[in-house]
Every structure is written in C-alpha cells, then in structure tokens.
Amino acid sequence: MMTENLKQKLKHCSISLLFASMALTGSTSIFAKSPADPNKVLRYVFPTAETGFDPAYIHDLYSAHVTTSIFETLYTYDYLARPAKLIPQIATAMPEVSADGLTYTIRIKKGIYFTPDPVFKGKPRELTANDYAYSFKRLLDPNLRSPNSWLLENKIEGMDALVKAANKSGKFNYDQKVSGLQTPDKYTLVIRLVKPDYNFPLLLAHDPTGAVAREVIEKYKDKAGYVMGHPVGTGPYVLSKWVPASRIVLKANPDYRGFTWNFTASSPEDQAIVKRLKGKKMPQIGTIDIQVMEENQSRWLAFQRGEVDIFQLEGQLVAKAVKDGKLRPELAKEGVQLSRIVDPEISYIYWNLKNPVVGGMSKEKIALRRAIAMSRSIDQEIKLVRNDDAQRLHFPIPPGVVGNDPQYRTSTPYSVKAANLLLDRYHYKKDASGWRTQPDGKPLVIEYMARSDSIGQQSAELWKKNFDSLNIRMVFKPMLFADLIRAQKQCDGMFGSSAWIADYPDGDNFMQNFYGPNTHMTNWSCGSTPEFDQLYRQTQQMQAGAERDALYRKMTRLLEVYMPVQISYARYRNMLAQPKIIGYKKHPILHAEWMYFDIDTNTKSNH
C-alpha cells in the first residue's frame, strides 16, 4: 500500500506539473521549433499503473513508455526494419570499435539541450558526453541498488574498483576518473570493456542508459537517490501532468530538434505507411494523454466510444476484434486498424529458491517444483486464460530473437499421475484430511502471487485446480502490478508468474534472467544454479552462432532439471488503432512509437 506521506508528495507533484502544463500551453510560441501540432492529441491507455520515471529505477514496460519519450539513448531502432535494426540516435554514427573488441569510441551530436528547468538557472544546458558517463556510473552506484545495474556490471574497465570503494566508504565518488569511461572532449565518449561483449551496442539503446543531468538528480532526488516524478531530458516529450496510477500527460518538447521521417518499408504492408509519412517533420503529435485502465472490458468500451485512440486488446476480449489472426470485417469496414505481432517475450512461472517451502536444491524441494510443473497443462492455460492468443514456448528465447531454437522441446511432461507419484516418492504424504504435508510433517501450503486483474484471477483459478489435483493447498495473493514488481525484486513470496519482454533482440537478454548474480535485479527465482551460471558466463564472451546456441540448449536443460522456472508462452500483442491514426506499426523493441506516426484530425471514428 502507498504510504500517506508518499501520496501527499505525489499529489503535490501532480499539482506542480499541472501548473507547468498550463504555462506551456499558454505560450503561442511553444511549438516554434518542434514540428508537433498542439491540436493533435493521442489518447492512450495503460493496462496497469506506472511506477515512476527515473531510468535507473524503472523496470516495467509502462513506465518505460514515458521514460523513452523523455530521455534519449545513444542508439535506437529503425521504426520499420524487421528484424530490429540498430541506428544512431544521439550518436553521430555507429560506434568505432577497436580490433580487440574492447574499446568503443562514440561521438555525440552537438547542439542538443535538456528541457529548461530552474536547476539550470535560466541558462541553456547542452547535452554532453559527460552526461552519459554520469548516467552509466549512476546505474552502478551500489547505494542506489538499481535493478538495471546488470546492464553494465563487471563490464567497464576500472568500474569494479570504484564500486568496491563505494561499498567500503558508503559513498560513490562520481568525480573519480575511470580508465574505461573517458570523455576526451564534450562530444566524445570512449568506453573500454573488461572483455569483448558483442551485444554492447544493443545495451546502449536500452532506456536505462538514457542521459540524465547530474544537477537535476542532485536537486530533486528522494531518500533512495531517485527522481521519480521530475524527469528532465532531451527527448521529444516532457511530463506535463502526473496523477499516479491514474493519468499521465506528455506535451511535445518545444525545443526538440525534430527529424524527417525517412524509413524504408520492410514488408508490402509498410508501403502505405511510407507513402503517407515519408518526408514529414516529426514528431507530429502535440499531446499524449495516457489513462490507466486495469480492466480489459473498460479499455474495450472506451475504444468503442472513441475515447481511446490506441490500446492493447488482450484476454477474453481478443475474440471480439480478432479472428484467425486478422481484424474482424465489421471493424475493418469502420476503418479500425490492427497491428499484431508475437511479442519478443517469455511468460513463465518461478519459484523463490530462498523460500523454505519451495526453495533450495535438496532432492525433495526439486521434486516438489517439478511435480507442480508437471501438473500444469500450458496448452490449456493458453486456451482458457489467454483465449488461444499466445504461442507455446519450449525454449527460454522467443521467436524473432537471436538464439531462438524452434526445434527444441521441453523434457518436462504434462502428467498429473507422474507428478503425484513423484510427490509420493519424496514423502509428501497426505494427512487425515487428504491434503499433502511436507516431508517433515509440517503443513504444505503454496502461496501464488499474481496481478489483481481479471487475467490474474483466471490464472489463479486454473492453478487452484492444478494444485487440487496434487492434493496441495493453494492460497492466491492478488497484488497491484507495482507491488508485485517490488516483491519480486525483494525476493518476497513463494511462487508466481512473470513475463520478460526483450530489452534488446538477443538471447542473452533472456538467459540473464536466470543468472544467479542477477538476484534482486532480474532473477525472480532469487537463487543460483552453479552449472547454469558457469555456462552463462561462457556465452557472454561468444558471438551469436552454433557454438553459443549449443550452450543455450544445455542451460535450458539445467532449468528443467532444477526447475527454478518453467517457460510458458509468448503472447500476441494486438494493438487496435482508430481510423485517424496514420502509419502506426507495433515495434518489437521500442516501447512507445508515438514520435513515428501521425494523426489525421479530419478523420472521425465511426464508433
């Protein structure tokens, strides 16, 4: 639950942002530089609440929609290219890499400025290479405990010593020179790695590496060191209004430099997008008005009433708009658009290996986890909970991501009979009431954590049936999304479901979720499998290819043997757009595409 003190702070923050919004919209010259049209308002919806807007802290998809619109990374992705293609954003070109693969030289564009803020004392604040050096150091500051530290941890030469000194002194020295992070001039960043990392350029396109201004952090940081409600960046949008867990309004950054839309079609369907947008100065949309609607039915009704322009349709309501993977004819006739992809994600269940009931590596604990996994029909879950709107996965790297193995098949069978025999073998006996107990005779009760929405409820109902088939008591603990993320990071709870969507399109981004040292960051099983960890470290020094793929298969078998997680499926992402939206296409990696498409203000919805 949110504390009363925090509520008051956030309320104050919302009021301050509202006044800022009034001041911005009252200016006749706000869009003098930005090409955005103030009359073009995109009404968007989140299915769950955001957590805040500090790139070093946020770790959820919905907050990232906002941070990627405000803070800019050195690199980004081509809007239309499939598979995803890395391109410069703040960098002038792709990095210059030394022959040994250790040194990256990156030059950044001149004349890019942070949005005005009182902390800059009325002076224009130019973005420099030092801002990226500071932002990278901040991810590794042990006092922050950033969940995104895994991106750069043990990678940059000299940083480990700085982190070690901070752990000893209790203070991170941001002014300390680091051999692997140099800025020979304002517009040049030189990064030297400890060992080659073939995915390193992809990391520099991930939103936690976006540049923040040190003055802003030091002025507005909270007790934990984060600036959650006062984001100041260089990107196309600024935060105008924020009512936590309810509404977010972004306004076009009046000083944003803009760009000319000049992407190339990668499919026949893209030709229409290119025809309508090529040559336009972007962004075109002046306001992004985001509301949080947790119930699918509410989002669907709002879209039908024309109150929402783009939203993700999921759960039981998918069938109302999509049939056989295509938009229903009655909606297509009205001009509604569908952009549908298999998300580059994995949905999976995890067990907390630190938990005394389901955790640990003893034979009986492994047997319990394996039995629970064997009691579960993933195909049935896809049908009943996801309404056949997901693709079964056997491998922890999804389709469309480098390293995926479409031929791999899991060694974990669906067999309730075998699951019960396994529990019998390891002395999970039944008491007088028929419920199983732990091998030591203590009661066996499994607590299942999931989101408190309709899909979480449906999932819990199905899991209750699975556990009943094993004669194991189950308790459902519904949680708000932000609380669930917090519990996972803190290794609270026993057993739950989660999903991971690609930060970058390589298998490493998925396998790192199960790496022991990433506990409290991305590893929700909160434990270590030494054999897996050793193989993971080997793969990090390998280029994508057959040799690395062979290790990925071995690592996947280890996950099935020790069962810290069970891989489930990848969901389809069904994005519906109103007729007035021009050129929208869901990107597999970019979170928010609204700087790449347009709105036709003369087109009205027929809903």
Side-chain angles (χ1 to χ4, degrees), residues 11 42 95 133 158 171 206 237 275 415 457 537 563 584 587:
K11 182 179 179 182
L42 178 74
K171 185 176 181 180
H206 186 25
Y237 291 94
K275 185 176 180 180
S415 174
Q457 183 65 46
R537 286 190 287 269
M563 201 59 69
Y584 173 72
H587 194 278

Side-chain angles (χ1 to χ4, degrees), residues 382-404:
I382 290 173
K383 182 179 179 64
L384 297 179
V385 179
R386 294 295 171 182
N387 293 280
D388 287 323
D389 200 47
Q391 188 177 112
R392 171 72 189 275
L393 293 183
H394 294 263
F395 203 62
I397 301 171
V401 174
V402 176
N404 169 256

Side-chain angles (χ1 to χ4, degrees), residues 132-133 135-140 148-157 159-160 181 191 193-194 197 200 203-204 208-209:
Y132 284 99
S135 301
F136 294 173
K137 286 180 178 179
R138 191 165 174 259
L139 290 179
L140 296 171
N148 300 308
S149 62
W150 62 272
L151 288 165
L152 301 176
E153 201 167 53
N154 304 318
K155 285 185 168 66
I156 299 175
E157 184 181 271
M159 281 301 301
D160 285 357
L181 202 56
I191 305 169
L193 304 181
V194 173
D197 184 341
F200 193 70
L203 304 184
L204 302 180
T209 65

Side-chain angles (χ1 to χ4, degrees), residues 165-311:
N167 280 321
K168 186 176 181 179
S169 68
K171 185 176 181 180
F172 191 88
N173 186 356
Y174 284 94
D175 297 313
Q176 178 68 45
K177 300 291 184 182
V178 175
S179 60
L181 202 56
Q182 300 180 20
T183 53
D185 60 60
K186 285 176 63 176
Y187 308 108
T188 304
L189 179 67
V190 180
I191 305 169
R192 184 163 178 81
L193 304 181
V194 173
K195 54 191 175 185
D197 184 341
Y198 298 100
N199 285 319
F200 193 70
L202 299 176
L203 304 184
L204 302 180
H206 186 25
D207 42 280
T209 65
V212 298
R214 183 173 180 175
E215 306 97 303
V216 172
I217 301 301
E218 293 181 350
K219 172 70 174 178
Y220 301 108
K221 65 183 177 182
D222 57 23
K223 290 182 179 178
Y226 294 112
V227 180
M228 300 296 280
H230 195 97
V232 178
T234 60
Y237 291 94
V238 298
L239 182 63
S240 171
K241 179 179 181 179
W242 182 30
V243 181
S246 177
R247 192 179 180 204
I248 304 162
V249 178
L250 302 177
K251 294 285 186 181
N253 175 2
D255 297 318
Y256 181 66
R257 60 200 178 277
F259 65 95
T260 301
W261 201 101
N262 190 31
F263 298 102
T264 302
S266 63
S267 69
E269 294 79 13
D270 292 346
Q271 295 292 349
I273 297 176
V274 173
K275 185 176 180 180
R276 297 201 69 179
L277 292 179
K278 189 175 180 66
K280 274 194 177 184
K281 193 74 172 173
M282 305 300 282
Q284 283 287 315
I285 299 171
T287 301
I288 314 294
D289 193 340
I290 305 165
Q291 294 191 59
V292 177
M293 296 184 193
E294 294 195 346
E295 284 305 316
N296 215 0
Q297 180 72 25
S298 299
R299 299 193 296 273
W300 172 242
L301 292 174
F303 184 81
Q304 286 187 306
R305 293 191 296 263
E307 298 167 359
V308 170
D309 297 318
I310 296 178
F311 89 109

Side-chain angles (χ1 to χ4, degrees), residues 288-354:
I288 314 294
D289 193 340
I290 305 165
Q291 294 191 59
V292 177
M293 296 184 193
E294 294 195 346
E295 284 305 316
N296 215 0
Q297 180 72 25
S298 299
R299 299 193 296 273
W300 172 242
L301 292 174
F303 184 81
Q304 286 187 306
R305 293 191 296 263
E307 298 167 359
V308 170
D309 297 318
I310 296 178
F311 89 109
Q312 180 186 352
L313 187 65
E314 58 181 344
Q316 294 182 339
L317 293 177
V318 171
K320 291 183 177 292
V322 179
K323 184 178 181 181
D324 299 326
K326 296 183 179 180
L327 189 67
R328 286 190 174 274
E330 60 269 27
L331 291 174
K333 186 177 179 180
E334 293 180 349
V336 172
Q337 304 167 67
L338 170 67
S339 183
R340 187 173 194 256
I341 65 171
V342 177
D343 257 346
E345 65 131 32
I346 54 171
S347 290
Y348 62 96
I349 59 171
Y350 63 90
W351 289 265
N352 181 356
L353 297 184
K354 295 183 183 297

Side-chain angles (χ1 to χ4, degrees), residues 493-523:
M494 182 183 296
F495 165 69
S497 59
S498 190
W500 182 269
I501 190 166
D503 299 316
Y504 51 92
D506 187 85
D508 176 77
N509 188 226
F510 290 86
M511 288 303 196
Q512 60 83 24
N513 285 286
F514 318 118
Y515 181 51
N518 284 351
T519 296
H520 298 300
M521 292 183 285
T522 60
N523 180 357

